[in-house]
């Protein structure tokens, strides 16, 4: 006698799924204020975990001392610079906005061009001919857009309070993750193994490699270039050096590079007649501008080899989606997804058939190689 399949209780299944969905949404709603801070902390801890283990060995195997030292290092790297930057932005944003919107902005005269041998007079005359033929009208047309753009950037600074809050959450979560990092990591691996067995466990390892690659190759490179560029600006006497250092770090994070700030600073030094410091800053800018081509590939290969377009898209998209914290979260999300996608695709072998032959087969034609000779 055939055994009938038990009847599927569809309402029970639907209600179970609905209950689980409500519980997941409720949990996410409760922890929503802490998600970005925890994600940032996870990125920092994964990237610096080898350093923690090294410190633990040097500090007589005491995890508590290693966690304390790492927390102090993170405070020095994030909290103190951010506090100084916020203070500098508050002090300097007013004069910048007033200058951009005052209506008295004009193109420079560049009288120092006359001192250039042979071609100096011609360059000066050509520049003043441009000014007389409409240069000032061009400035008048561009100025409203400059003022609007400046106001937009300053308006974004209003969200710096949220960024500071996430920064403190990052420090708190980082200390906890440093202290119980092995247990947390095993918990993620256990959950992934429960979902997809060995593939899930491998996915967690690949995600850690991608996070380390982004943190080392993008963030560290941007900080090194921005800080070194800022040191050069301060030594050469450029005003608002701290604020310009922030701009340089942001430019490096979005893969534009520090020259967007350094080149106008060099021009300003030559324009004001300080050719000595202008030359010094020119040489220093050439060194700083080329550092990313040496540092970034080495650091990225420590984690995983990632396409530059992926990192660029992650930085810009993260900035738009999450604000300043998205500079760190955006590329990490795309990098992890990319690594998992590549591994999943590579589980299958590459197709070795001729594409044209496959098209003919799909269209119902006989391939030329199988045609019988007449």
């Amino acid at each position: 006698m055939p055994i009938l399949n038990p009847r599927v209780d569809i309402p029970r299944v639907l209600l179970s799924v609905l209950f689980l969905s409500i519980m997941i949404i409720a949990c996410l709603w409760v922890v929503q204020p802490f998600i970005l801070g925890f994600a940032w902390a996870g990125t920092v801890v994964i990237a610096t975990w080898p350093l923690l283990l090294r410190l633990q060995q040097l500090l007589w195997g005491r995890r508590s001392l290693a966690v304390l030292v790492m927390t102090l290092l993170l405070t020095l790297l994030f909290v103190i610079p951010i506090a100084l930057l916020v203070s500098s932005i508050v002090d300097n944003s007013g004069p910048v906005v007033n200058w951009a919107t005052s209506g008295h902005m004009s193109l420079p005269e560049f009288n120092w061009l006359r001192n250039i041998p042979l071609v100096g007079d011609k360059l000066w005359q050509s520049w003043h001919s441009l000014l007389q033929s409409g240069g000032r009208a061009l400035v008048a047309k561009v100025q409203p857009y400059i003022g609007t753009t400046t106001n937009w950037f300053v308006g974004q600074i209003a969200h710096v309070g949220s960024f500071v809050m996430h920064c403190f959450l990052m420090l708190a979560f980082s200390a906890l993750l440093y202290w119980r990092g092995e247990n947390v990591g095993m918990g993620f691996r256990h959950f992934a193994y429960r979902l997809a067995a060995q593939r899930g466990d491998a996915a967690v390892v690949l995600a850690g490699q991608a996070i380390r690659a982004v943190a080392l190759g993008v963030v560290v490179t941007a900080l090194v270039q921005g800080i070194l560029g800022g040191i050069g600006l301060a030594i050469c006497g450029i005003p608002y050096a701290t604020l310009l250092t922030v701009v340089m770090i942001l430019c490096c994070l979005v893969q534009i590079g520090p020259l967007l700030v350094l080149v106008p600073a060099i021009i300003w030094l030559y324009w004001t007649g300080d050719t000595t410091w202008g030359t010094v800053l020119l040489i220093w800018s050439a060194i700083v501008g080329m550092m990313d081509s040496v540092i970034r590939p080495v650091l990225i290969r420590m984690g995983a080899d990632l396409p530059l377009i992926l990192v660029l898209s992650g930085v810009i998209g993260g900035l738009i989606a999450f604000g300043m914290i998205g500079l760190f979260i955006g590329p990490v999300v795309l990098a992890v997804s990319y690594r998992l996608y590549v591994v999943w695709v590579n589980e299958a072998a590459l197709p070795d058939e001729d594409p044209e032959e496959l098209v003919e087969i799909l269209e119902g034609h006989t391939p030329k190689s199988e045609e019988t000779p007449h």
Side-chain angles (χ1 to χ4, degrees), residues 194-215:
R194 180 66 180 85
L195 289 179
Q198 293 180 346
R199 291 183 179 180
D201 193 11
V204 174
V205 177
L206 292 172
Q209 293 177 353
I211 291 172
R212 186 171 290 114
V214 170

Side-chain angles (χ1 to χ4, degrees), residues 154 213 285 299:
V154 174
S285 300
L299 294 178

Side-chain angles (χ1 to χ4, degrees), residues 50-292:
L51 179 59
L52 173 74
L53 298 181
R54 179 62 177 169
L55 284 175
Q56 184 175 348
Q57 293 178 356
L58 295 176
L59 296 173
W60 310 283
R62 299 287 298 275
R63 174 61 63 88
S64 58
L65 294 178
V67 172
L68 179 61
V69 172
M70 290 299 300
T71 304
L72 292 176
L73 289 176
L74 292 180
T75 303
L76 293 175
L77 289 175
F78 290 99
V79 175
I80 294 178
I82 287 174
L84 294 175
L85 296 178
V86 170
S87 176
S88 176
I89 289 172
V90 171
D91 294 338
N92 299 328
S93 60
V96 172
V97 175
N98 293 334
W99 171 80
T101 59
S102 61
H104 302 292
M105 185 175 59
S106 60
L107 293 175
E109 299 290 336
F110 287 152
N111 292 323
W112 55 269
L113 288 173
R114 291 181 172 180
N115 299 326
I116 299 177
L118 301 178
V119 297
D121 290 333
K122 293 183 178 180
L123 291 175
W124 185 83
Q125 292 176 3
S126 300
W127 174 250
H128 278 261
S129 297
L130 177 62
L131 293 180
Q132 295 174 1
S133 62
R136 301 185 188 279
L138 179 62
V139 170
K141 292 181 179 180
V142 173
Q143 181 182 338
Y145 300 99
I146 296 177
T148 303
T149 305
T150 307
N151 285 326
W152 183 85
F153 276 106
V154 174
Q156 297 303 307
I157 299 171
H159 302 287
V160 74
S162 175
F163 179 75
V164 172
M165 181 194 71
H166 288 302
C167 185
F168 281 104
L169 288 176
M170 181 271 294
L171 289 176
F173 285 131
S174 295
L176 294 175
L177 291 176
Y178 281 137
W179 182 254
R180 308 292 292 177
E182 291 86 356
N183 294 337
V184 176
M186 184 56 65
F188 277 104
R189 291 183 60 188
H190 192 186
F191 177 74
Y193 192 86
R194 180 66 180 85
L195 289 179
Q198 293 180 346
R199 291 183 179 180
D201 193 11
V204 174
V205 177
L206 292 172
Q209 293 177 353
I211 291 172
R212 186 171 290 114
V214 170
L216 294 177
V218 177
V219 179
V220 174
T221 303
L223 289 176
V224 170
Q225 282 189 291
I227 292 173
L228 291 179
I231 292 174
L233 294 177
I235 293 175
C236 294
I238 301 296
Y240 309 119
T242 306
L243 185 60
L244 293 176
T245 302
V246 181
V247 177
M248 267 194 297
I249 293 176
L250 294 177
C251 290
C252 294
L253 285 174
V254 300
Q255 308 303 305
I256 297 176
L259 297 181
L260 189 65
V261 176
L262 293 174
V263 171
I266 295 171
I267 295 174
W268 183 82
L269 286 174
Y270 280 107
W271 172 33
T272 56
D274 199 349
T275 57
T276 302
W277 284 114
T279 304
V280 171
L281 186 59
L282 176 62
I283 298 173
W284 184 248
S285 300
I287 297 174
V288 173
M290 292 187 296
M291 289 181 63
D292 60 336

Side-chain angles (χ1 to χ4, degrees), residues 7-27:
R7 184 174 61 88
V8 178
D9 193 350
I10 296 179
R12 178 183 178 183
V13 173
L14 292 178
L15 289 176
S16 299
V17 173
L18 179 61
F19 175 76
L20 291 176
S21 301
I22 292 175
M23 291 300 296
I24 293 174
I25 294 173
C27 291

